Amino acid sequence: RPGVGAALGAALLARLGLVLYGLHQDGAMRVRYTDVDYRVFTDAARLVTEGRSPYRRATYRYTPLLAWLLTPNVYLAEVFGKLLFVAGDLAAAVVAYRALRRRGTAAGQACGCCAAAWLLNPLPMAVSSRGNAEALVALLVLATLYFVEGGSVGKAAICYGLAVHMKIYPLTYALPIALHLQSKWCGGEGAVDTGCDKKAKFTFVGYLWQLFVKMLNRDVLLFGTVAGSVLAALTVAFYHLYGWDFLEHAYLYHLTRRDIRHNFSPYFYMLYLTAESKWSFALGLAAFLPQLLLLLVVSIAFYRDLAFCCFLHTAIFVSFNKVCTSQYFVWYLCLLPLVMPSVKMSWCRGVLLLFLWFIGQGLWLAPAYFLEFKGYSTFLLIWLAGLLFLFINSFIIVQIISHYQKEAQVAKKLKQQ
C-alpha cells in the first residue's frame, strides 16, 4: 500500500502542477493550455444556472448531466471542473488497482501497471488537467468491469448505464459483458466448453445457439434491465427538460457525425472530399462496417477475460473510427493496467511498440501543424500519415493478442463473490 500511496501522491502533484501551469499559459500566451471544450462546458453550465438549455451554446454535444456537474465553475471557480476531472482520473487508477488485486496480481506489480499505464502517463495527465471529461467515463467503465467481475451485477449495470449516457462508445461492451455473464452462469468456463447445453451439437449453428440464446439468464436480464432503466430514465428526464435538442446533440449527432476536419481517422480525407456528395451520409455509415465485424469477432473470441476483451474492443473502435483524436486514446489506455499482467512480451518489444505508436503520432502531427498554423495544403500527407498510424495500431493490437496468455492468475476463479 505505501507504493500505491506514493504513486497516487506523485500523480496528484503532477496533475495539480499542470492545472496551475495551465492557468499561467492561458493568461500569458497566445496558445491556450486549456482544452477548447472546457470553455464550452463552462458556458453550458452558465446557461444551466440561468435556467436555460445548455444546447444554446453552439458545439455543446454532451449530456446535460455534465453541465450540471460543472455548475460550481460558475458559482465557485472556473477551475473546479479541472479538479473534478483530476479526481476522477485518480479514482480510475484506484479502481484499476483494486481490480488487479482481486485478479490475484501482486501488490507491487499492480501498482507498477497502474503507474506506468495511467498515473504517470503524460497523456491522461494532460487530458484531465486541460479540462477534458474523459476521465469520468474511464472511471465508470472501470467500475463496471470491477463490479461485473466481483459479481455485483446491479452496481455494474448502474455504472454501465451512466457510462453509455456520458459517451456512446461503451455501448459496444454490451455483447462481451452479456457473454461473460452467461459463461459465469454456466459454470465459469463458458457454455460452449462446459457443455451447459447437453443437446448442443458441435456445429457452428450449435455454437452460436449456445453462445447467444443461453445469454438469457438471470444475471444478463438483471444487467440489461437495470442498465436500460438507468439510461432510459436519464434520457426521458432530459428529453422532458430540453426536448429534441438533447437527443440530437447528445446521441444522434455522434452516430451520424462526419467530421471533415483533419484527425487521425483513415476516413477523414474521404469524408472531406465527399462532403457535398449525395453519397456522403451513406459512406459515413459504411465506415462502421469494419468496426462492427472486428468487434463481433473479438467478442466471441475473448469474452471470458472481460477486461482484455473490452481493451481490444476500445482499441479497435478508436483505430477504425470515423473520427479519431488524441483524447480518444484515453478510452483504451484506462484499461491497459488490467491487460498488462496477461501480455507476456519482452521489455524490448514493448518499448519498440511504444516507440512506433509515438512515431506514428509524430508523423501525423508534422503535416497537421503546417496545415493548421501555416496554412499549407497538406491534406494528402495527413491522410497518408493517418493510414500509417492505422497500420501501426493494427500491428500493436496483433502483437498484444499474439503475446496474450491467460495465465492461472487471470483464468482462475476470482475471489469468492
Side-chain angles (χ1 to χ4, degrees), residues 169-344:
Y169 83 89
L171 189 62
T172 65
Y173 302 156
L175 179 57
I177 289 175
L179 291 172
H180 184 80
L181 291 174
Q182 168 249 6
S183 69
K184 293 179 70 173
W185 180 266
C186 289
E189 294 296 329
V192 176
D193 294 334
T194 60
C196 187
D197 183 357
K198 300 295 184 181
K199 297 181 181 180
K201 299 178 181 180
F202 292 98
T203 64
F204 183 69
V205 174
Y207 179 85
L208 292 180
W209 174 264
Q210 291 184 55
L211 210 55
F212 294 104
V213 175
K214 292 298 181 180
M215 285 194 297
L216 300 179
N217 60 55
R218 186 184 65 190
D219 284 349
V220 175
L221 292 176
L222 174 62
F223 185 90
T225 300
V226 174
S229 298
V230 170
L231 184 59
L234 289 169
T235 301
V236 170
F238 287 129
Y239 179 77
H240 175 73
L241 290 173
Y242 304 117
W244 180 256
D245 283 346
F246 159 66
L247 294 179
E248 180 182 0
H249 295 292
Y251 294 145
L252 300 179
Y253 169 80
H254 300 283
L255 294 176
T256 59
R257 180 180 182 183
R258 291 169 292 145
D259 196 335
I260 61 174
R261 294 174 299 176
H262 57 288
N263 61 83
F264 287 100
S265 173
Y267 301 112
F268 110 86
Y269 196 45
M270 176 190 71
L271 297 177
Y272 170 76
L273 293 176
T274 61
E276 304 299 326
S277 169
K278 64 179 181 180
W279 298 103
S280 179
F281 181 75
L283 289 172
L285 292 179
F288 283 119
L289 293 179
Q291 284 178 312
L292 293 176
L293 179 60
L294 290 171
L295 295 181
L296 178 61
V297 172
V298 166
S299 296
I300 295 175
F302 296 106
Y303 67 87
R304 292 177 185 85
D305 188 349
L306 185 58
F308 187 73
C309 186
C310 289
F311 170 80
L312 293 179
H313 253 242
T314 316
I316 290 170
F317 182 87
V318 170
S319 298
F320 288 84
N321 201 30
K322 293 185 300 180
V323 181
C324 179
T325 63
S326 296
Q327 69 192 49
Y328 290 11
F329 302 156
V330 174
W331 297 355
Y332 57 80
L333 285 177
C334 70
L335 298 171
L336 186 57
L338 305 184
V339 171
M340 289 175 68
S342 305
V343 179
K344 299 301 179 183

Side-chain angles (χ1 to χ4, degrees), residues 29 80 108 131 141 148 230 235 252 279 282 305 357 369:
M29 300 183 188
F80 170 84
V141 167
V148 167
V230 170
T235 301
L252 300 179
W279 298 103
D305 188 349
W357 190 65
Y369 168 82

